[in-house]
Amino acid sequence: MTFDLVTNDPHTKARAGVVHTDHGAIETPIFMPVGTAGTVKAVQQRDLKDDVQAQIILGNTYHLYLRPGLDVLHKAGGLHKFNGWDRPILTDSGGYQVYSLSGTRKIKEEGVKFRSHIDGSQHLFSPEGVMDIQRTIGADIIMAFDECTPWPCEYDYARRSLDMTHRWLQRCIQRFDSTEGHYGYSQTLFPIVQGSTFKDLRIKSAEFIAEQQREGNAIGGLSVGEPAELMYEMTELVCDILPTDKPRYLMGVGTPANILENIALGVDMFDCVMPTRNARNGMLFTTQGIINISNKKWADDFEPIDAELGGYVSTFYSKAYVRHLFHSKEMLGPQIASIHNLTFYLWLVKQARQQILAGTFREWKEKMVVQVMTRL
């Protein structure tokens, strides 16, 4: 994997670049739809390509390892062949899922022992094992195995966790560099900066990760409940340390405003379940603001969901019709909403890229942060 930095915004730390993988190029800044179990919920691959115009999607190591399992994925020729997605894929390491299973897992130097949420069976995720699992899944970009600390977090716990995450990273790198992919294309490993919201720990971690000289770097542990201002403070601190010639991926973030603010701080890649999860609950993000489609005010609004956005579902279906689908509990409602929200998120980062290239990002961003978060 390689990264070309095309331009820097003259008034912020925003950048426009291109990530090159064997499954295609990714123009940054980019948002990556989350396909936890090998599917972006309620969205077909054709819609991801044609409507959403996704350039890269995510899979999740924990979920894919448990179901359908590595045997099936290997026989299929990897996740790309299994789900029919021929563009880049990133897999997260399962560290966040293990973090969320706090009642059924034990963290030790060896790795993490946990019980499956499906059948209660016991498993061990070690740094070496997670590298092997992600090799078998076959993602273009794979993530180091780390511990995602909760927020709030005691300083001593965050410090001990960070030191272990760094030791685990060295084991990940050793295993990754001593193995080959299964399917004839290259894979790359991103380390993850941790350190909770403690400035000295974030600096220590960012410096350690930068020293590893991998093709890209990630920032974790900043979408676990901390205030947005703390997220921005830690992100800016880390981005100022991570190398400028490598893509920076902020994991699990976030709202449209979060994305725009973090682009301004130097982040290139984002993912979040928000557009699809909120879609299934009837929250639609639009170019003019946020719609709760269940509200009565949309019952006789026969205008398209978002005429300015483009894309089939956003310009074909009316707000009144989508509201009817939700009230009737028809599956098509959440499907339309999911495709629409993802289309909006990809539109937003594409617009940001165009503004960066034009040198007008800061003024546009200040206006859009307010506009896209307005409740309609």
Side-chain angles (χ1 to χ4, degrees):
M1 192 206 81
T2 59
F3 177 64
D4 295 330
L5 181 57
V6 177
T7 191
N8 291 287
D9 178 63
H11 306 295
T12 70
K13 296 173 182 177
R15 308 121 56 85
V18 183
V19 176
H20 298 277
T21 77
D22 286 355
H23 280 103
I26 306 157
E27 293 186 337
T28 64
I30 194 64
F31 180 82
M32 304 179 282
V34 177
T36 302
T39 171
V40 178
K41 284 190 190 304
V43 184
Q44 294 189 64
Q45 270 63 307
R46 180 182 62 188
D47 296 324
L48 280 174
K49 280 188 172 183
D50 297 345
D51 236 25
V52 176
Q53 297 183 19
Q55 299 179 44
I56 175 174
I57 62 173
L58 262 71
N60 178 261
T61 292
Y62 168 84
H63 288 281
L64 291 166
Y65 162 78
L66 291 176
R67 195 165 50 192
L70 300 183
D71 186 50
V72 169
L73 287 167
H74 192 260
K75 285 178 180 176
L79 184 57
H80 289 90
K81 295 283 182 65
F82 186 59
N83 72 359
W85 180 257
D86 60 2
R87 295 178 182 178
I89 295 176
L90 180 150
T91 42
D92 65 22
S93 68
Y96 182 81
Q97 280 65 39
V98 168
Y99 146 79
S100 66
L101 294 169
S102 57
T104 60
R105 48 89 166 145
K106 292 183 179 178
I107 302 173
K108 296 184 177 181
E109 190 69 32
E110 178 189 12
V112 180
K113 290 182 178 178
F114 63 92
R115 289 190 178 275
S116 164
H117 72 286
I118 299 169
D119 61 9
S121 56
Q122 279 198 320
H123 303 269
L124 170 70
F125 269 8
S126 67
E128 295 82 4
V130 167
M131 293 301 96
D132 295 346
I133 292 167
Q134 290 185 87
R135 285 288 201 192
T136 301
I137 293 170
D140 301 87
I141 300 171
I142 76 176
M143 304 307 299
F145 190 54
D146 64 333
E147 184 191 0
C148 178
T149 51
W151 190 88
C153 181
E154 293 289 335
Y155 180 87
D156 284 345
Y157 184 92
R159 178 181 54 78
R160 291 194 303 272
S161 171
L162 179 65
D163 290 342
M164 185 175 66
T165 285
H166 288 172
R167 292 193 297 273
W168 282 0
L169 172 60
Q170 291 176 314
R171 290 165 58 187
C172 286
I173 289 172
Q174 186 173 7
R175 184 59 152 237
F176 181 83
D177 288 349
S178 64
T179 56
E180 297 287 338
H182 298 295
Y183 310 114
Y185 53 84
S186 64
Q187 296 174 287
T188 192
L189 169 66
F190 279 24
I192 303 172
V193 177
Q194 289 288 355
S196 188
T197 51
F198 300 106
K199 189 173 179 180
D200 62 323
L201 297 183
R202 283 285 171 181
I203 292 171
K204 176 183 177 181
S205 188
E207 290 175 345
F208 182 81
I209 266 60
E211 289 170 3
Q212 308 310 308
Q213 299 184 340
R214 308 310 295 189
E215 287 87 2
N217 299 296
I219 306 167
L222 289 178
S223 59
V224 291
E226 71 290 330
E229 290 310 313
L230 264 179
M231 177 214 300
Y232 299 145
E233 181 185 350
M234 294 300 110
T235 299
E236 183 170 26
L237 186 70
V238 169
C239 283
D240 286 348
I241 296 170
L242 293 177
T244 58
D245 60 343
K246 310 288 176 64
R248 304 169 184 145
Y249 163 33
L250 181 58
M251 305 178 74
V253 176
T255 67
N258 292 157
I259 288 174
L260 292 176
E261 296 291 3
N262 282 297
I263 288 173
L265 299 176
V267 174
D268 307 295
M269 303 169 70
F270 300 87
D271 81 285
C272 190
V273 297
M274 180 173 284
T276 45
R277 179 176 289 168
N278 287 24
R280 297 193 297 276
N281 294 319
M283 178 185 281
L284 305 183
F285 297 99
T286 77
T287 56
Q288 302 306 308
I290 297 171
I291 291 172
N292 180 349
I293 203 64
S294 296
N295 287 351
K296 189 170 177 25
K297 67 185 291 186
W298 311 115
D300 59 355
D301 187 327
F302 303 110
E303 293 299 310
I305 301 168
D306 193 344
E308 292 187 26
L309 185 59
Y312 175 71
V313 304
S314 306
T315 57
F316 183 81
Y317 295 107
S318 71
K319 300 182 192 78
Y321 179 62
V322 177
R323 181 181 185 274
H324 157 71
L325 293 174
F326 270 89
H327 275 253
S328 303
K329 294 185 166 42
E330 288 286 345
M331 287 189 293
L332 183 59
Q335 185 178 8
I336 289 171
S338 297
I339 296 169
H340 164 78
N341 276 357
L342 288 173
T343 302
F344 168 80
Y345 266 63
L346 268 294
W347 170 87
L348 187 67
V349 292
K350 185 176 183 179
Q351 291 294 309
R353 178 183 170 83
Q354 291 174 357
Q355 297 293 331
I356 293 166
L357 292 171
T360 53
F361 173 77
R362 182 173 64 182
E363 185 178 342
W364 173 84
K365 187 265 293 184
E366 295 302 326
K367 178 188 75 172
M368 290 303 289
V369 161
V370 176
Q371 184 169 310
V372 299
M373 298 306 291
T374 300
R375 297 276 177 162
L376 299 177

